[in-house]
């Protein structure tokens, strides 16, 4: 059962710019007046009486009269009284604002100490809390605003709040309903689990953000490993040095055990022998180093080429992921465009068929006159053609937006494919360089020729002579301690060489770590691409749900349709809740008359939903030639330049 609220009378005294005004209201009441004569003040008085706010929903405004300098005129009572008929029963509401003047002792004049407000219902005084509760029992403030001001829903509410009101009317679609409506969304069932779509989107975004951050950190870690690899150590040479020193230590051990072989002369010869061997070893080392300089240069070039190859591989993976995602987007858009073309063709093929029963009087069952029938048919045909044209225009707008997006994506794909081709070319080239360098390194043989080195051959001959003398038997005295000291020094040198050789194992571990990081980077790129597909599914879900909601909600209105999302240039969607009249958005290009009628259409639906009919105040009624039908009481506020004082006209319909 619906509640009917009718404003029967409104009395103003000293309210804003109106000294005194008494209005009796009918089903339709029009208040005429020039700008500044107080038309809106009538609406302000009614809302102030009920909710302590003006008609623009502001709680701070000047209620008391002002003089020509905008100062409050004191010593006056401000009063507003309204008589409401609620389901046939009349109720009188009154609010009086009075100034409180007090004469302090010892002062000749009274002083203003504030204002007090008195409340009455059917002439019975009420406390503020009692009064507000009674008003709320009649109608809640938020519902009153929606049902009395045609502009309030579309201009005062945020789009989120407008959508919430509409959802209360039709009820929301469950995630399962939306998924079941489109087979492409079926993978979302498993993805959603116990989450809703917003929670899933946030979860995907958080996971993707972490993966992207992890992926971005990998190149720096690979570079760090590459910098830690010791490429300056010739491990083969160090192994030779280790072998030589170990042999010398072994020889000293033998001399220490056989002290009879050691005497001063032998010691000198052996010192000389060690010195000569050091010299020959230096010559061998320098000759070997010079012969291996080309190898070091090849290894350095190989390191640089491998680094470039890894960089190109990372760039190519990123570009291929973007290509894959955009190709999916193009395919989906083409499917949607095909569906729009089918809808367009179906609508074009629709024909109007007349049911002959509608041309028969429902009361007397007699057929209408031929002229009346033709007029009715012409009217129906015009309405049919107009509706068909609007629907085709809407499909054209959607199709053009999708076509523009496909064109944009194809341009991006063309650029990406060109970039991928270029990267593949560079990658093939650097891969060939790596292969060639590896082959050269594998085939490298140092050109070491000491046979023609006179100094080297002379040292070898001298060493052979000393070794021959040392091999002769002789009587010697022991200098074991000196031999031990030499052995200790060789041990220290051997320890340093072992430390250098240990870097070989570290290099192997670093190389393995680099391969592991590169594999992880590739895996992360694939995970990111998978999450981007899930993001696309979520966007498609939201768009599908909005389309379902549009269809359900729009069926509740005769004059207004609602747009629940805006198509972005990049193919994404922004949620919205904008009233449209013939495809024109309410808050941009809609004219004043269309806005008023759109507001009345919205109020008609909301009144039916809430089960309440309340007085509707139509401001700037002069801009509207004809209002659409409504069951609610109408109060028209009309700008009339000739009416320098308010003029009221009433009519019962």
């Amino acid at each position: 059962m619906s509640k009917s609220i009718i404003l029967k009378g409104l009395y103003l005294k000293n309210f804003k710019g109106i000294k005194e005004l008494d209005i009796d209201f009918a089903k339709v009441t029009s208040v005429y007046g020039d700008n500044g004569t107080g038309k809106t003040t009538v609406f302000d008085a009614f809302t102030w009486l009920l909710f302590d706010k003006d008609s623009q929903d502001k709680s701070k405004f000047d209620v008391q009269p002002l003089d020509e300098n905008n100062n409050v005129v004191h010593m006056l009572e401000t009063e507003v009284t309204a008589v409401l008929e609620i389901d046939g029963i009349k109720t009188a509401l009154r609010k009086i604002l009075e100034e409180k003047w007090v004469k302090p002792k010892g002062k000749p004049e009274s002083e203003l100490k504030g204002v007090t407000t008195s409340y009455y219902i059917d002439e019975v005084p009420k406390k503020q809390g009692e009064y507000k509760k009674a008003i709320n029992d009649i109608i809640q403030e938020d519902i009153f605003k929606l049902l009395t001001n045609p502009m309030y829903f579309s201009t005062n509410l945020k789009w989120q709040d407008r959508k919430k009101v509409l959802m209360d009317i039709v009820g929301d679609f469950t995630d399962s309903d939306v998924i079941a409506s489109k087979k492409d969304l079926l993978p979302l069932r498993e993805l959603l689990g116990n989450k809703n779509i917003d929670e899933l989107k946030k979860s995907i975004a958080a996971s993707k953000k972490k993966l992207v951050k992890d992926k971005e950190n990998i190149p720096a870690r690979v570079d760090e490993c590459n910098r830690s690899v010791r490429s300056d150590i010739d491990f083969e040479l160090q192994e030779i040095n280790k072998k030589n020193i170990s042999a010398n230590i072994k020889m000293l051990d033998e001399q220490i055990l056989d002290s009879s072989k050691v005497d001063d002369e032998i010691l000198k010869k052996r010192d000389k022998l060690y010195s000569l061997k050091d010299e020959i070893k230096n010559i061998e080392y320098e000759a070997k180093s010079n012969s291996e300089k080309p190898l070091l240069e090849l290894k350095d070039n190989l390191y640089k080429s491998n680094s470039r190859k890894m960089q190109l591989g990372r760039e190519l993976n990123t570009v291929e992921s973007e290509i894959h995602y955009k190709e999916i987007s193009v395919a989906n858009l083409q499917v949607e465009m095909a569906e729009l073309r089918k809808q367009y063709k179906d609508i074009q093929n629709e024909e109007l068929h007349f049911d002959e029963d509608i041309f028969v009087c429902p009361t007397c069952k007699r057929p209408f006159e031929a002229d009346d029938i033709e007029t009715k048919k012409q009217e129906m045909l015009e309405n049919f053609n107009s509706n068909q044209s609007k629907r085709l225009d809407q499909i054209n707008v959607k199709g053009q937006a999708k076509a523009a997006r496909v064109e944009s994506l194809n341009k991006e794909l063309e650029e990406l494919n060109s970039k991928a081709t270029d990267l593949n070319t560079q990658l093939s080239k650097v891969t060939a360089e790596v292969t060639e360098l590896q082959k050269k390194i594998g085939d490298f043989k140092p050109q070491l020729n000491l046979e023609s080195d006179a100094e080297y051959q002379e040292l070898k001959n001298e060493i052979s002579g000393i070794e021959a003398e040392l091999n002769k038997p002789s009587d010697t005295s022991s200098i074991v301690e000196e031999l031990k000291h030499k052995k200790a020094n060789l041990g220290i040198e051997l320890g340093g060489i072992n430390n250098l050789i240990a870097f070989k194992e570290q290099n192997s571990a670093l190389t393995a770590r680099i391969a592991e990081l590169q594999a992880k980077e590739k895996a992360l790129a694939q995970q990111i691409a998978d999450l981007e597909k899930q993001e696309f599914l979520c966007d498609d879900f939201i768009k599908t749900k909005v389309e379902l909601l549009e269809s359900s909600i729009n069926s509740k209105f005769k004059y207004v349709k609602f747009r629940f999302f805006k198509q972005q240039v990049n193919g994404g969607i922004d949620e919205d809740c904008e009233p449209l009249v013939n495809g024109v958005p309410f808050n941009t290009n809609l004219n004043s008359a269309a806005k008023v009628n759109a507001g009345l259409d919205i109020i008609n639906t909301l009144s039916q939903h809430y089960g309440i009919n309340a007085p509707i105040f139509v401001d700037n009624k002069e801009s509207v030639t004809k209002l659409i039908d409504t069951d609610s009481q109408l109060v028209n506020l009309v700008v009339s330049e000739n009416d320098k004082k308010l003029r009221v006209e009433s009519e019962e319909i």
Side-chain angles (χ1 to χ4, degrees), residues 587-653:
N587 287 300
T588 53
N589 300 321
L590 202 61
N591 62 49
S592 299
K595 284 184 177 181
V596 171
N597 277 324
L600 290 177
D601 188 30
I602 292 170
I603 288 176
N604 285 342
T605 299
L606 294 179
S607 293
Q608 185 177 4
H609 172 65
Y610 292 119
I612 301 174
N613 287 320
I616 301 174
F617 284 78
V618 180
D619 203 0
N620 296 318
K621 167 60 176 63
E622 72 284 349
S623 65
V624 188
T625 304
K626 179 176 176 57
L627 297 176
I628 66 172
D629 294 336
T630 179
D631 292 334
S632 299
Q633 181 185 19
L634 285 175
V635 179
N636 298 318
L637 305 179
V638 187
V639 175
S640 172
E641 187 177 354
N642 295 328
D643 290 295
K644 303 305 179 184
K645 292 184 179 180
L646 293 182
R647 174 170 58 88
V648 179
E649 290 184 1
S650 301
E651 56 179 311
E652 294 290 349
I653 298 177

Side-chain angles (χ1 to χ4, degrees), residues 65-111:
L66 304 176
D67 61 19
E68 63 275 7
N69 296 317
N70 284 328
N71 295 318
V72 173
V73 179
H74 295 296
M75 301 294 184
L76 296 176
E77 284 187 354
T78 294
E79 176 184 344
V80 176
T81 300
V83 176
L84 300 178
E85 184 178 282
I86 304 167
D87 292 336
I89 300 174
K90 291 183 178 180
T91 299
L93 305 173
R94 180 188 298 177
K95 184 190 289 189
I96 300 175
L97 187 147
E98 300 176 274
E99 293 182 336
K100 185 177 181 181
W101 292 85
V102 177
K103 185 177 180 302
K105 291 182 180 181
K107 291 189 178 182
E109 297 181 357
S110 298
E111 295 180 357

Side-chain angles (χ1 to χ4, degrees), residues 17-232:
I18 295 179
K19 186 173 183 180
E20 188 169 22
L21 179 65
D22 195 356
I23 303 176
D24 291 328
F25 293 88
K27 175 67 174 176
V28 178
T29 304
S30 298
V31 180
Y32 296 86
D34 197 4
N35 290 324
T37 54
K39 300 182 300 301
T40 305
T41 300
V42 174
F43 194 7
D44 291 340
F46 188 42
T47 56
W48 178 75
L49 175 67
L50 297 177
F51 306 113
D52 287 327
K53 297 178 181 178
D54 68 4
S55 58
Q56 299 301 312
D57 206 30
K58 298 177 182 176
S59 56
K60 292 184 178 181
F61 70 104
D62 294 315
V63 177
Q64 296 171 275
L66 304 176
D67 61 19
E68 63 275 7
N69 296 317
N70 284 328
N71 295 318
V72 173
V73 179
H74 295 296
M75 301 294 184
L76 296 176
E77 284 187 354
T78 294
E79 176 184 344
V80 176
T81 300
V83 176
L84 300 178
E85 184 178 282
I86 304 167
D87 292 336
I89 300 174
K90 291 183 178 180
T91 299
L93 305 173
R94 180 188 298 177
K95 184 190 289 189
I96 300 175
L97 187 147
E98 300 176 274
E99 293 182 336
K100 185 177 181 181
W101 292 85
V102 177
K103 185 177 180 302
K105 291 182 180 181
K107 291 189 178 182
E109 297 181 357
S110 298
E111 295 180 357
L112 179 62
K113 295 298 183 180
V115 295
T116 60
T117 305
S118 303
Y119 304 89
Y120 301 87
I121 300 178
D122 292 331
E123 302 303 326
V124 178
K126 298 290 183 180
K127 295 180 180 179
Q128 184 184 46
E130 295 174 330
Y131 183 84
K132 287 187 174 182
K133 183 179 183 305
I135 297 298
N136 191 66
D137 289 341
I138 295 172
I139 186 169
Q140 297 176 24
E141 181 179 352
D142 55 346
I143 296 177
F144 173 85
K145 297 169 190 172
L146 291 171
L147 301 185
T148 58
N149 184 352
M151 300 295 113
Y152 188 82
F153 177 87
S154 300
T155 59
N156 290 62
L157 293 184
K158 297 178 181 178
W159 73 262
Q160 294 91 338
D161 296 327
R162 293 198 292 266
K163 183 176 178 181
K164 185 177 183 301
V165 171
L166 296 175
M167 290 304 98
D168 290 339
I169 296 176
V170 300
D172 203 355
F173 287 92
T174 66
D175 290 349
S176 296
D177 294 334
V178 178
I179 292 171
S181 71
K182 190 173 184 180
K183 64 180 181 180
D184 291 346
L185 299 176
L186 291 177
L188 276 176
R189 283 183 177 165
E190 184 176 348
L191 290 173
L192 282 170
N194 295 325
K195 300 185 185 76
N196 59 38
I197 198 70
D198 289 333
E199 291 169 342
L200 178 60
K201 283 193 71 175
K202 290 177 182 177
S203 174
I204 292 171
S207 299
K208 180 181 172 184
K209 182 178 180 181
K210 182 179 183 304
L211 291 175
V212 168
K213 185 176 180 181
D214 290 345
K215 182 175 178 291
E216 289 174 348
N217 290 334
I218 287 178
R221 294 162 67 185
V222 170
D223 289 342
E224 183 181 354
C225 289
N226 279 324
R227 287 195 300 271
S228 298
V229 172
R230 292 292 299 270
S231 58
D232 59 326

